[in-house]
Amino acid sequence: MVEAPIDFRILVGAGVPAREFKAGEVIFKQGDAAQELFIVQSGEVEIRLGNRRLETVPQYGIFGEMALIDAAPRSATAVAATDVKVVPIGEKQFLFLISNTPHFALNVMRTMARRLRNANTSL
Amino acid sequence: MVEAPIDFRILVGAGVPAREFKAGEVIFKQGDAAQELFIVQSGEVEIRLGNRRLETVPQYGIFGEMALIDAAPRSATAVAATDVKVVPIGEKQFLFLISNTPHFALNVMRTMARRLRNANTSL
């Protein structure tokens, strides 16, 4: 089943401070301590486990949410697949969004559900 | 990393209507249409993909949340590992819980994050 990507563009409008990475740069590494999730403002990000590509996160997709949810180290490595701009969301803002915008919580869950289905398909 | 199970016992107090299954009975099958998630009130439930055991869900754990989140068919099969009582949560109640109890949303995400870490470890 091909699904439309889940779209978090509402959180990355003009004026939101973003970080830039060149194609090939590492955004975070598996095992790193984690304080943020990221929304892709422009470009694409590849999620890797060792040499295996788990996923390509498109514009307006999120990544890095797991470590924020369970306070464990990064479970995978994120690499800029193109030149990218990503918007960080810290823990406090994440908890605020979950508490105040149920739609955000549901979209995070949808993203995770899709990742779980993909992971289970690969098993 | 061994984590304590995420505990949804607050939702399955006395008087909440539960469904009973005998050890070995199928609760739902991969590919089934889905309207509910379940909380284990007593006993244990095994989640299977073909002949592979993905997880054993303990008392007060949840299962079946993915199909509710993304409205897709069941991604795996759930079988009573012991005699069990499970409490169904329908879509409306699920959305209500997410909107009104951010702690519930976060616990669902924690459960999914743990499943994703396990799935990625198995890849």
Side-chain angles (χ1 to χ4, degrees):
Chain A
M1 190 179 59
V2 177
E3 282 178 67
I6 294 143
D7 190 329
F8 292 87
R9 85 176 66 191
I10 197 168
L11 297 173
V12 295
V16 176
R19 282 183 215 153
E20 298 187 29
F21 296 87
K22 295 278 173 208
E25 276 191 283
V26 170
I27 301 170
F28 58 71
K29 276 208 308 284
Q30 185 179 7
D32 282 355
Q35 278 87 37
E36 300 156 326
L37 68 83
F38 297 96
I39 300 167
V40 180
Q41 190 178 57
S42 63
E44 289 184 346
V45 172
E46 203 169 286
I47 308 300
R48 289 184 196 162
L49 202 63
N51 290 321
R52 191 191 173 111
R53 188 180 62 79
L54 288 182
E55 187 179 340
T56 299
V57 184
Q59 190 181 29
Y60 306 133
I62 60 168
F63 63 99
E65 76 288 349
M66 276 169 57
L68 211 58
I69 289 166
D70 62 12
R74 296 293 186 195
S75 63
T77 295
V79 178
T82 63
D83 291 359
V84 297
K85 290 184 184 170
V86 298
V87 173
I89 305 272
E91 192 181 6
K92 243 173 131 168
Q93 190 184 357
F94 179 66
L95 295 175
F96 177 86
L97 285 167
I98 288 175
S99 300
N100 292 280
T101 52
H103 192 70
F104 173 79
L106 213 51
N107 274 344
V108 173
M109 287 179 201
R110 282 187 182 124
T111 303
M112 297 177 80
R114 186 160 55 175
R115 286 177 184 160
L116 259 168
R117 285 185 191 276
N118 288 342
N120 287 345
T121 305
S122 308
L123 283 181
Chain B
M1 191 178 58
V2 176
E3 282 178 67
I6 293 141
D7 190 328
F8 292 86
R9 84 176 66 191
I10 196 169
L11 297 173
V12 296
V16 176
R19 284 184 212 152
E20 298 188 28
F21 296 87
K22 295 278 173 208
E25 276 190 285
V26 171
I27 302 171
F28 58 72
K29 275 206 310 283
Q30 186 179 5
D32 282 355
Q35 278 86 39
E36 299 156 326
L37 67 82
F38 297 95
I39 300 166
V40 180
Q41 190 178 59
S42 64
E44 288 184 346
V45 172
E46 203 170 286
I47 309 299
R48 289 183 196 163
L49 202 64
N51 289 322
R52 190 192 174 109
R53 188 179 62 81
L54 289 182
E55 187 178 341
T56 299
V57 184
Q59 191 181 29
Y60 306 133
I62 61 167
F63 62 99
E65 76 289 347
M66 278 170 56
L68 211 59
I69 289 166
D70 62 11
R74 295 294 186 195
S75 62
T77 295
V79 179
T82 63
D83 291 358
V84 298
K85 290 184 187 171
V86 298
V87 173
I89 306 270
E91 194 181 5
K92 243 174 132 167
Q93 191 185 357
F94 179 66
L95 294 175
F96 177 87
L97 285 166
I98 288 176
S99 301
N100 292 281
T101 53
H103 192 69
F104 173 79
L106 212 51
N107 275 344
V108 173
M109 288 179 200
R110 283 188 182 122
T111 304
M112 296 177 80
R114 187 160 55 174
R115 287 177 184 160
L116 259 168
R117 286 186 192 276
N118 288 341
N120 288 344
T121 306
S122 307
L123 283 180

